[in-house]
């Protein structure tokens, strides 16, 4: 019995001092295993007198129970500690401020372009593209601007060779569209154009235009006015007024420039319209019969109208930006305001 007491004390002592679950296993083997200390006590019972055996057997069983309980408790305390450490390391501080994700968005010019496109798509127009590097013929000649005409000088052209240039106007796409010979035509063509201008608040060597062309039987200046008035109202608001001023373009006759009432001051005059109450946004006119003829369309059967809108002009106006350079510099401090 003395021996048994010592075994229990030894077992409990080493359980107390154990450092981890593995060492508990070793202790279990040492005391309770098949070759363990308690088992050897049981084996030695055969040397005892028969009447003592049940008593010793009972004591051994109690010792086994006690050691097992102590082992279980210690194991549980190791597991609790591990769980606590894990929870500690995985703690999330829900009071910390979140990380804001910076989201990109459309450039003001892109937004304007999409708006203009949607207005004309809604009126049954198709959107077509055209080359930025162009033959002199499409940019000038076929638009009724012959080689020696002074109108050619007005457009400060970047020439690549004598006959090839960077287009100065999207009007060149009119010619490509007419040459296809599919009538009627109802198209807009947005794109980049180039002129050898110095950069300043209102000029850039590259900017964007949106060309429009309608050709059908019986088209008149009245169709042009109605269409462009509707366009202005959809773009700038129902109360917008338009004004057509006589102008000259080689490829239209008659020609006009269209002004819209300043949507900021409703025509009273402000900083944006430079006190005028009106802002010029496009050139337009009835397609010159000679232009139709050169592209193979019979001017006695078909008539049409055309217009060219400056995309940047509209963006500057719509978003109240006072310097065109801001649209090209891609400074995110500027861009993220829109
Ligand atoms: N291409 C002209 C320009 O760059 C704008 C223009 C005027 C286009 C009249 C047209 C038009 O189609 O009919 O100034």
């Amino acid at each position: 019995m003395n021996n048994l007491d010592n075994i229990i004390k030894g077992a409990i002592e080493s359980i107390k001092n154990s450092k981890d679950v593995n060492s508990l296993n070793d202790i279990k083997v040492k005391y309770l295993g098949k070759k363990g200390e308690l088992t050897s006590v049981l084996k030695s019972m055969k040397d005892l007198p028969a009447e003592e055996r049940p008593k010793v057997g009972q004591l051994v069983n109690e010792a086994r129970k006690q050691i097992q309980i102590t082992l279980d408790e210690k194991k549980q305390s190791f597991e609790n500690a591990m769980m606590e450490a894990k929870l500690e390391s995985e703690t999330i501080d829900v009071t910390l401020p979140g990380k804001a994700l910076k989201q990109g968005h459309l450039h003001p010019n892109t937004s304007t372009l999409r708006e203009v496109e949607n207005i004309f798509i809604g009126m049954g127009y198709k959107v077509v593209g055209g080359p930025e590097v162009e033959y002199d013929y499409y940019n000038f000649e076929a638009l009724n601007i012959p080689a020696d005409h002074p109108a050619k000088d007005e457009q400060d052209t970047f020439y690549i060779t004598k006959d090839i240039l960077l287009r100065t106007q999207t009007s060149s796409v009119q010619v490509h569209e007419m040459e296809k010979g599919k009538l009627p035509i109802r198209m807009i063509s947005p794109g980049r154009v180039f002129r050898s201008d110095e950069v300043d608040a209102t000029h850039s060597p590259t900017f964007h235009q949106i060309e429009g062309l309608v050709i059908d039987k019986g088209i008149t200046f009245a169709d042009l006015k109605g269409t462009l008035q509707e366009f202005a109202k959809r773009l700038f608001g129902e109360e917008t007024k338009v004004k057509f001023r006589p102008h000259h373009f080689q490829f239209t006759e008659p020609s006009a420039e269209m002004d819209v009432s300043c949507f900021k001051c409703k025509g009273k005059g402000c900083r944006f319209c430079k006190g005028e109450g009106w802002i010029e946004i496009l050139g337009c006119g009835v397609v010159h019969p000679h232009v139709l003829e050169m592209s193979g369309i019979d001017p006695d059967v078909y008539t049409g109208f055309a217009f060219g809108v400056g995309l940047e002009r509209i963006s500057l106006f719509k978003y109240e930006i006072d310097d065109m350079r801001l649209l090209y510099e891609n400074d995110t401090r500027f861009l993220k305001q829109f």
Side-chain angles (χ1 to χ4, degrees), residues 102-114:
K102 287 198 189 111
Q103 204 180 2
H105 62 87
L106 297 179
H107 188 280
N109 255 353
T110 310
S111 304
T112 308
L113 175 59
R114 299 237 172 124

Side-chain angles (χ1 to χ4, degrees), residues 155 169 171 174 195 209 211-212 249 251-252 283-285 306-308:
Q155 302 226 351
Q169 50 186 356
S171 303
Q174 288 188 25
R195 294 185 194 181
Q209 291 183 331
E211 195 71 17
F249 296 103
F251 35 91
T252 44
C284 57
F307 54 91

Side-chain angles (χ1 to χ4, degrees), residues 222-242:
D223 297 302
L224 175 156
K225 283 179 78 176
T227 303
L228 295 180
Q229 180 170 32
E230 185 58 24
F231 162 63
K233 286 187 172 192
R234 291 201 192 167
L235 190 61
F236 296 116
E238 192 53 40
E239 69 290 352
T240 309
K241 295 192 179 66
V242 297

Side-chain angles (χ1 to χ4, degrees), residues 117 120-129 177 180 182 184-190 211-213:
E117 282 180 347
F120 282 105
I121 288 168
M123 294 196 233
Y125 287 58
K126 64 172 181 171
V127 181
V128 305
E177 203 55 26
K180 288 182 190 160
K182 274 201 199 130
I185 293 170
R186 196 171 287 119
M187 71 102 188
I188 57 165
S189 183
E211 195 71 17
L213 177 68

Side-chain angles (χ1 to χ4, degrees), residues 4-264:
L4 215 50
D5 266 352
N6 283 340
I7 293 176
I8 296 172
K9 268 191 201 145
I12 289 175
E13 190 65 19
S14 32
I15 292 169
K16 246 197 223 158
N17 294 336
S18 66
K19 298 262 179 321
D20 53 31
V21 179
N22 278 343
S23 53
L24 284 183
N25 280 336
D26 296 342
I27 294 167
K28 187 172 179 176
V29 171
K30 178 167 178 219
Y31 289 95
L32 309 181
K34 271 186 193 153
K35 291 175 184 167
E37 300 200 12
L38 280 185
T39 319
S40 65
V41 176
L42 283 179
K43 280 179 189 156
S44 67
M45 280 200 328
K46 63 182 186 308
D47 305 328
L48 292 175
E51 65 277 14
E52 284 187 22
R53 284 183 202 163
K55 176 119 177 74
V56 175
Q58 197 190 344
L59 286 174
V60 169
N61 277 342
E62 272 164 21
R64 172 179 288 278
K65 224 190 232 165
Q66 198 181 342
I67 294 173
Q68 186 62 57
I69 287 171
T70 318
L71 277 169
D72 289 347
E73 282 171 357
K74 189 71 179 174
K75 189 171 174 208
Q76 189 63 51
S77 84
F78 278 136
E79 282 171 359
N80 289 349
M82 263 159 58
M83 183 53 90
E84 253 162 57
K86 189 163 183 244
L87 288 175
E88 180 80 19
S89 73
E90 290 175 0
T91 304
I92 295 169
D93 182 352
V94 293
T95 64
L96 281 176
K99 282 187 196 152
L101 287 179
K102 287 198 189 111
Q103 204 180 2
H105 62 87
L106 297 179
H107 188 280
N109 255 353
T110 310
S111 304
T112 308
L113 175 59
R114 299 237 172 124
E115 249 184 276
V116 172
E117 282 180 347
N118 285 335
I119 291 169
F120 282 105
I121 288 168
M123 294 196 233
Y125 287 58
K126 64 172 181 171
V127 181
V128 305
E132 291 174 359
V133 180
E134 189 55 280
Y135 287 104
D136 184 282
Y137 176 79
Y138 288 90
N139 195 81
F140 291 124
E141 195 88 25
L143 290 166
N144 211 20
I145 309 171
D148 52 358
H149 198 280
K152 214 166 161 172
D153 298 338
E154 281 166 23
Q155 302 226 351
D156 294 324
T157 313
F158 287 116
Y159 277 94
I160 291 170
T161 68
K162 199 172 129 311
D163 300 322
I164 298 173
L165 46 76
L166 296 180
R167 67 176 176 191
T168 61
Q169 50 186 356
T170 46
S171 303
S172 53
V173 187
Q174 288 188 25
V175 182
H176 288 288
E177 203 55 26
M178 288 189 288
E179 279 185 350
K180 288 182 190 160
K182 274 201 199 130
L183 294 163
I185 293 170
R186 196 171 287 119
M187 71 102 188
I188 57 165
S189 183
R192 195 188 280 270
V193 299
F194 307 83
R195 294 185 194 181
S196 58
D197 275 331
E198 294 291 336
V199 177
D200 66 24
T202 53
H203 292 88
S204 161
T206 168
F207 56 102
H208 299 79
Q209 291 183 331
I210 303 158
E211 195 71 17
L213 177 68
V214 172
I215 295 179
D216 204 346
K217 290 175 182 158
I219 298 287
T220 69
F221 199 85
D223 297 302
L224 175 156
K225 283 179 78 176
T227 303
L228 295 180
Q229 180 170 32
E230 185 58 24
F231 162 63
K233 286 187 172 192
R234 291 201 192 167
L235 190 61
F236 296 116
E238 192 53 40
E239 69 290 352
T240 309
K241 295 192 179 66
V242 297
K243 180 167 89 174
F244 291 86
R245 284 180 289 100
H247 201 76
H248 173 80
F249 296 103
Q250 277 294 111
F251 35 91
T252 44
E253 181 57 38
S255 304
E257 276 186 336
M258 185 178 90
D259 298 347
V260 293
S261 55
C262 178
F263 82 112
K264 192 97 181 95

